[in-house]
Amino acid sequence: QVQLVESGGGLVQAGGSLRLSCAASGDISIINSMAWFRQVPGKQRESVARISNNGDINYSDFVKGRFTISHDAAQNLLFLQMNNLKPEDTALYYCYENIKGRSGSSRPYWGQGTQVTVSA
C-alpha cells in the first residue's frame, strides 16, 4: 500500500505564490507517472500538470507559464510551484501517482487533497 500526503495549500492574494508538496511512502518500487489535479465543487476534477513515465512534462493551458511541476526522486516528493495565482485557481488540489509495488503490479494512488484559495 502507498500513501500520498499533500501539504502547502492555503489562502493567498491574487498575484501571490504557493508551493504544494506531495510525499509518497509505502510499497514503492517505481513511480510510473505523477500529476497534479484540481477540483471545485460541482465540477469535474481536471488535470493541472503531469510528468509522464519518460519524463515528459505537460501543463494545462490555464496554468502554462505560471505553474511548475517537479519531482525529487530521492525523497519521493512531488511539487507544484504556483506563481501569479488567480482567483479562478481556487480549488482542492490533489496529487496523483501511478506506482509499481514490489509485487510488480502498478496502480493509481491519490492524495487527500489540499485547499488553495486565492482572494481577489
Side-chain angles (χ1 to χ4, degrees):
Q1 192 67 309
V2 171
Q3 294 78 43
L4 299 182
V5 179
E6 299 109 334
S7 61
L11 173 64
V12 65
Q13 288 188 328
S17 298
L18 285 174
R19 189 190 195 208
L20 305 184
S21 300
C22 176
S25 62
D27 180 19
I28 300 170
S29 178
I30 297 173
I31 298 178
N32 297 313
S33 62
M34 299 157 279
W36 288 96
F37 286 75
R38 70 186 188 186
Q39 189 170 24
V40 297
K43 292 190 176 182
Q44 283 191 326
R45 192 171 297 187
E46 60 183 3
S47 174
V48 175
R50 175 182 298 270
I51 302 176
S52 66
N53 57 1
N54 64 1
D56 287 347
I57 293 177
N58 290 283
Y59 297 96
S60 294
D61 287 343
F62 49 80
V63 303
K64 280 181 180 176
R66 300 188 298 123
F67 291 10
T68 302
I69 188 171
S70 61
H71 181 232
D72 181 336
Q75 299 193 59
N76 287 333
L77 289 170
L78 180 67
F79 302 103
L80 185 67
Q81 177 66 43
M82 306 185 294
N83 298 328
N84 190 21
L85 282 159
K86 304 176 181 181
E88 51 264 43
D89 294 320
T90 295
L92 191 60
Y93 283 72
Y94 297 90
C95 69
Y96 163 92
E97 298 189 5
N98 187 285
I99 295 173
K100 178 184 287 187
R102 289 184 293 270
S103 66
S105 62
S106 296
R107 57 155 289 187
Y109 293 92
W110 293 90
Q112 80 286 355
T114 185
Q115 178 67 38
V116 171
T117 303
V118 185
S119 62

